[in-house]
């Protein structure tokens, strides 16, 4: 039976995270600002409102997140046609993707600090081959790190690329006042449909350079870059520098609230999306996404890291959001 369930994770520092089983989503992250629990993410007040969400707020996206050109790919000599739900392309796995499914909460894993959710995606789901069995584990540590562990197995060769699609504002009214440092030297050039051209571009001397902290609004509002103007901000895939896991891949900072969030991941890229298309009760740029994932449309570019998962292999990826108060 499909019904909404919420699990709350807490620690002694006053941090509170809510996870819902619809889309294995992060519904809420609260972190103390001046000793007041403050919302760090963009979200709905009630779990029920996520049923009609079309912005992937806090969601686990897959079977393959981001876009697949034309919804097409070739695998082991066979051609596949996927559901096209973003113009001619397949976005986040299709029109009935993982963000819209009710995941099973493993009751034995539920504690004050952790929970695991699972999902079975059948052979042919949205056009993908193979029955895929997936789990997503959330854990909140005492040092204010929320970790996400993905694990999956398949009975037939298939594709997989999972990410989390939380919109962050760190307690501010929008994301444009936030500062971002992104440890990335290159990014994927993309066309107007957000499909990579295959070219990998150096960030040096461009408005894609976040090697040093830069204010999001200043960077995207004062640009002369054609792609940034065309897309009304950032919706680009940044290739992360090859550094150890315990070194942050990105740091997002609210000077106003004196809060920073560091992202640690073993994923090779981060899709930076500044939320231009947020609608309904939300407005453009009210939050931004830092989606750790594999290269966009990797299955259609041989020189990109592979999205292929074979039987007897296990897909495992990890993302950690670490929150801390800034020292002033």
């Amino acid at each position: 039976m499909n019904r909404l369930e919420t699990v709350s994770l807490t620690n002694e520092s006053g941090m509170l995270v809510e996870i819902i089983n619809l889309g294995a989503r992060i519904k809420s992250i609260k972190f103390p600002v001046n000793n007041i629990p403050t919302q760090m993410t963009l979200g709905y007040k009630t779990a029920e409102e996520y049923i009609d969400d079309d912005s992937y707020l806090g969601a686990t996206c897959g079977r393959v997140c981001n876009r697949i050109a034309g919804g097409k790919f070739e695998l082991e000599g066979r051609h596949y046609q996927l559901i096209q739900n973003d113009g001619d392309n397949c976005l986040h796995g299709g029109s009935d993707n993982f963000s819209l499914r009710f995941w099973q909460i493993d009751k034995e894993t539920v504690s004050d600090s952790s929970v695991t959710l699972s999902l079975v995606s059948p052979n042919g789901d949205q056009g993908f081959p193979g029955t895929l069995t997936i789990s997503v584990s959330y854990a909140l540590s005492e040092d204010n790190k929320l970790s996400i562990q993905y694990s999956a197995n398949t009975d037939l060769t298939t594709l997989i690329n999972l990410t989390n699609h939380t919109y962050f504002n760190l307690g501010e009214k929008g994301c444009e006042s936030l500062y971002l440092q992104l440890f990335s030297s290159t990014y994927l050039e993309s066309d107007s449909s957000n499909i990579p051209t295959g070219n990998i571009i150096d960030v040096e001397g461009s408005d894609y350079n976040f090697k040093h902290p830069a204010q999001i609004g200043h960077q995207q509002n004062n640009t002369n870059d054609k792609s940034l103007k065309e897309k009304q901000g950032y919706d680009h895939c940044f290739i992360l520098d090859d550094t150890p896991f315990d070194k942050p891949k990105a740091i997002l900072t609210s000077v106003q609230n004196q809060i920073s969030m560091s992202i640690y991941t073993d994923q090779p890229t981060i899709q930076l999306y500044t939320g231009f298309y947020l609608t309904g009760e939300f407005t453009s740029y009210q939050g931004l996404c830092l989606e750790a994932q594999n290269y966009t449309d990797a299955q259609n570019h041989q020189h990109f890291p592979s999205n292929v998962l074979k039987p007897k292999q296990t897909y495992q990826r990890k993302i950690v959001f670490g929150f801390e108060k800034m020292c002033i």
Side-chain angles (χ1 to χ4, degrees):
M1 182 170 126
N2 293 335
R3 64 185 182 88
L4 282 165
E5 296 182 75
T6 303
V7 175
S8 297
L9 312 180
T10 58
N11 66 15
E12 294 296 326
S13 302
M15 192 168 168
L16 170 65
V17 177
E18 289 182 306
I19 306 297
I20 59 173
N21 62 330
L22 178 67
R25 297 177 187 243
I26 297 173
K27 177 182 178 291
S28 168
I29 299 175
K30 289 184 178 179
F31 186 77
V33 174
N34 298 322
N35 296 318
I36 300 172
T38 302
Q39 188 63 256
M40 298 285 106
T41 64
L42 195 63
Y44 300 102
K45 292 182 180 179
T46 67
E48 287 74 18
E49 291 172 277
Y50 285 86
I51 293 174
D52 297 320
D53 171 59
D54 58 4
S55 296
Y56 303 95
L57 270 68
T60 298
C61 295
R63 183 176 301 198
V64 173
C65 67
N66 217 314
R67 291 164 177 85
I68 297 176
K72 298 176 181 179
F73 65 93
E74 182 181 349
L75 189 60
E76 296 184 333
R78 181 175 174 181
H79 294 271
Y80 292 89
Q81 178 62 63
L82 306 174
I83 299 295
Q84 295 163 292
N85 62 325
D86 182 56
D88 292 331
N89 306 315
C90 179
L91 175 62
H92 293 323
S95 55
D96 182 21
N97 57 71
F98 294 173
S99 71
L100 303 173
R101 309 281 177 88
F102 284 91
W103 292 58
Q104 182 72 35
I105 294 175
D106 184 347
K107 302 299 183 183
E108 294 183 357
T109 70
V110 177
S111 71
D112 290 341
S113 61
S114 64
V115 63
T116 296
L117 304 94
S118 61
L119 181 73
V120 176
S121 174
N123 183 31
D125 190 2
Q126 305 296 288
F128 290 99
T131 297
L132 190 70
T133 303
I134 319 112
S135 69
V136 178
S137 296
Y138 291 98
L140 179 61
S141 67
E142 287 301 325
D143 60 349
N144 300 316
K145 289 184 172 71
L146 176 64
S147 67
I148 310 172
Q149 179 71 57
Y150 300 108
S151 182
N153 297 96
T154 182
D155 63 348
L156 296 174
T157 302
T158 191
L159 303 180
I160 184 170
N161 183 19
L162 301 179
T163 194
N164 180 271
H165 206 284
T166 297
Y167 291 79
F168 295 97
N169 54 29
L170 302 188
E172 297 200 26
K173 293 181 179 180
C175 72
E176 291 194 291
S177 55
L178 302 178
Y179 285 79
L180 175 65
Q181 186 173 16
L182 194 55
F183 298 93
S184 166
S185 300
T186 54
Y187 69 99
L188 298 184
E189 182 182 59
S190 56
D191 64 19
S192 59
S193 299
N194 285 317
I195 298 297
T197 64
N199 296 327
I200 295 174
I201 309 297
D202 197 303
V203 303
E204 204 64 43
S206 75
D207 289 321
Y208 299 93
N209 189 348
F210 287 95
K211 289 183 179 181
H212 301 285
Q215 191 179 48
I216 290 291
H218 182 269
Q219 197 104 325
Q220 69 181 17
N221 293 330
N222 294 283
T223 187
N224 290 316
D225 182 82
K226 179 182 176 181
S227 180
L228 287 173
K229 284 187 168 184
E230 188 175 60
K231 298 175 185 180
Q232 304 287 327
Y234 291 94
D235 197 357
H236 297 80
C237 189
F238 289 78
I239 300 170
L240 299 173
D241 295 340
D242 187 13
T243 56
F245 185 90
D246 61 358
K247 300 295 184 183
K249 300 301 191 295
I251 302 173
L252 189 66
T253 301
S254 165
V255 174
Q256 173 185 304
N257 290 327
Q258 292 294 293
I259 295 293
S260 70
M261 181 190 76
S262 297
I263 298 180
Y264 307 84
T265 186
D266 54 9
Q267 298 271 39
T269 79
I270 283 180
Q271 180 86 12
L272 169 61
Y273 171 50
T274 50
F276 172 70
Y277 289 104
L278 285 167
T279 58
E281 65 181 82
F282 306 114
T283 58
S284 295
Y285 316 124
Q286 199 170 342
L288 65 77
C289 298
L290 292 160
E291 308 161 49
Q293 56 190 259
N294 192 29
Y295 289 46
T296 309
D297 199 32
Q299 50 288 323
N300 290 314
H301 297 271
Q302 291 187 356
H303 61 298
F304 290 177
S306 176
N307 279 340
V308 174
L309 180 68
K310 296 184 177 182
K312 298 183 180 179
Q313 292 180 335
T314 298
Y315 171 90
Q316 288 188 319
R317 300 290 187 274
K318 190 172 185 178
I319 304 169
V320 176
F321 302 123
F323 292 82
E324 60 182 334
K325 299 173 185 178
M326 296 168 58
C327 296
I328 56 172

